[in-house]
Amino acid sequence: MSRAQADDRNGGTISNATSQAAAWDPDTDPAFQKALRDRLMSNEDSIFFSARLMDTAKNKTVYGLQDPCTDQRGAALTRCRTTQECTGDTGAAGVNMDIVIGGANDRTRAARGTQLCVSNTQADQANDEGYVPLPVFTLQDFQQLAVAPAAGHVQPAPDTLKNMHTNVYAQAEPQAFTTTLGGYPVQVRAYPVQYTWDYGDGTTLGPTPLTGSALPDGAWDEPTDTSHVYTATGDYTVGLTTSFYGEYNIADTGWQPVAGYNQVSSPPVALSVWRATVHNVADDCHTNPTGIGCPGASK
C-alpha cells in the first residue's frame, strides 16, 4: 500500500497524511460575511462601502449648528437667550443651538428640528449669522481609534506541505466607539470590508471582500478562494491586512462616511513549509508500529 509521509528539509519525519481533496464550492460564504452584508444593506442611514457613494455623500451632507436667537433684537433677544440656556453633560453652563444641514450659506441650510446643548466657548465660535460648522471626523481621526484587527488563521499550521493547498481565512467583527472631536460627542462604527493576504513568499491576494472560511475537521489540501500553494520549502510569515469602512455620527446629527479605509494589520502567523515523500510498504502500522511513517518509527 502507499502512504504519504511528510519529511522536513533534513529528512526527519513530522506527520502522516492521506489526501482527501474535495471540490470547492465558490458559492459557499461564511455566515459572518452574510450577516455583515445584510446588516450594511438593511441599515437605511448607512452607506454601503462604495468609494463613489462615500464621496457623493461627503460632498452633499454638511452638518452645523445655528443660533436660534440670531434674528432677535432687544428684549426678545434677551428672552430668547434665557430660554436657550442649558447645562451640558459635564455640568458646564451652555446654550442650545439648532442642528442644521447645509453649508455656510444660510439660504442652503435647513433645521432638523433638534437642538444640541453646547458650551458657551463653542457657541462663541459662531459667525455673524450665528452659524457654527461641526468638525469633520477624518481618516486620521479614524486611524487613531483602537480598531481590533481581524484574526488570521492558517490551515494546517504551524506546518504545511509544499505543492499542496494551504488554507487561510480571517475572522473580524464590526466595532463601535464613542469619542469626542472638537469638544463634540462622536459615535463611530467600523466595518471590516476587505482583506489582503501576504503569503510571505512574494505572492499576495486581495484586497478581496471574501474572508475565507475554516476547512472541516480532518480536511486538507483543498483549494479555496483564499488558499495558496507554496512551491518551495522554508519558513514563512503569513500577513493579513483588513480594510475597515467607517461611519461617524457627530453630536447625534446623522451618520456620515469616513473618507477612506482604515487598514489594520493582524499579528503575523509563522509557517514552515515541508516537502512530502511517498514510500511503498508491504504492511501497515497495526501490523508493524515501527514501520515507515508510523508513530512508532524512529525519527
Side-chain angles (χ1 to χ4, degrees):
M1 63 182 293
S2 175
R3 181 183 300 116
Q5 179 179 347
D7 293 343
D8 69 12
R9 295 180 293 281
N10 298 316
T13 301
I14 62 169
S15 64
N16 297 316
T18 302
S19 177
Q20 299 177 351
W24 170 250
D25 181 4
D27 294 329
T28 300
D29 199 16
F32 159 73
Q33 193 160 314
K34 289 181 179 179
L36 173 60
R37 288 175 179 165
D38 291 343
R39 176 174 176 177
L40 286 171
M41 296 297 288
S42 64
N43 192 342
E44 294 181 356
D45 66 350
S46 175
I47 300 170
F48 194 59
F49 50 97
S50 162
R52 180 183 61 82
L53 291 178
M54 290 165 66
D55 290 340
T56 300
K58 203 64 187 173
N59 292 333
K60 288 187 176 180
T61 306
V62 178
Y63 290 99
L65 301 174
Q66 178 69 53
D67 182 357
C69 301
T70 300
D71 296 333
Q72 304 295 326
R73 297 292 183 271
L77 176 59
T78 301
R79 289 193 298 272
C80 182
R81 295 292 189 198
T82 300
T83 59
Q84 295 302 322
E85 291 178 354
C86 63
T87 301
D89 294 336
T90 62
V95 59
N96 283 313
M97 298 188 71
D98 294 333
I99 297 175
V100 294
I101 302 175
N105 188 332
D106 62 349
R107 289 175 296 179
T108 66
R109 295 197 294 265
R112 284 176 51 114
T114 54
Q115 289 189 321
L116 177 68
C117 181
V118 302
S119 67
N120 290 323
T121 301
Q122 292 168 320
D124 290 341
Q125 298 174 2
N127 60 18
D128 293 340
E129 298 172 345
Y131 177 73
V132 180
L134 286 173
V136 174
F137 192 81
T138 66
L139 177 59
Q140 290 71 29
D141 297 321
F142 190 25
Q143 292 171 337
Q144 291 179 7
L145 296 179
V147 178
H153 299 275
V154 181
Q155 293 177 298
D159 303 298
T160 189
L161 297 178
K162 172 184 172 182
N163 296 327
M164 294 186 180
H165 294 278
T166 298
N167 184 48
V168 299
Y169 65 97
Q171 289 180 311
E173 297 290 342
Q175 299 163 53
F177 303 87
T178 300
T179 184
T180 59
L181 182 64
Y184 298 97
V186 183
Q187 300 175 64
V188 184
R189 301 188 295 207
Y191 300 101
V193 294
Q194 293 179 334
Y195 306 86
T196 301
W197 294 94
D198 184 343
Y199 296 112
D201 62 349
T203 58
T204 60
L205 172 67
T208 171
L210 296 176
T211 62
S213 59
L215 294 175
D217 291 341
W220 73 291
D221 192 24
E222 293 190 11
T224 70
D225 283 342
T226 55
S227 64
H228 179 62
V229 175
Y230 290 90
T231 58
T233 59
D235 294 323
Y236 301 94
T237 299
V238 181
L240 170 64
T241 300
T242 304
S243 297
F244 283 84
Y245 159 74
E247 292 178 328
Y248 72 97
N249 185 345
I250 183 167
D252 203 26
T253 53
W255 290 99
Q256 300 184 78
V258 176
Y261 296 135
N262 185 4
Q263 296 183 328
V264 181
S265 297
S266 301
V269 179
L271 185 68
S272 293
V273 177
W274 312 78
R275 72 174 183 268
T277 60
V278 176
H279 298 274
N280 292 320
V281 296
D283 55 9
D284 57 38
C285 293
H286 294 289
T287 303
N288 182 13
T290 62
I292 296 176
C294 296
S298 60
K299 301 294 191 258

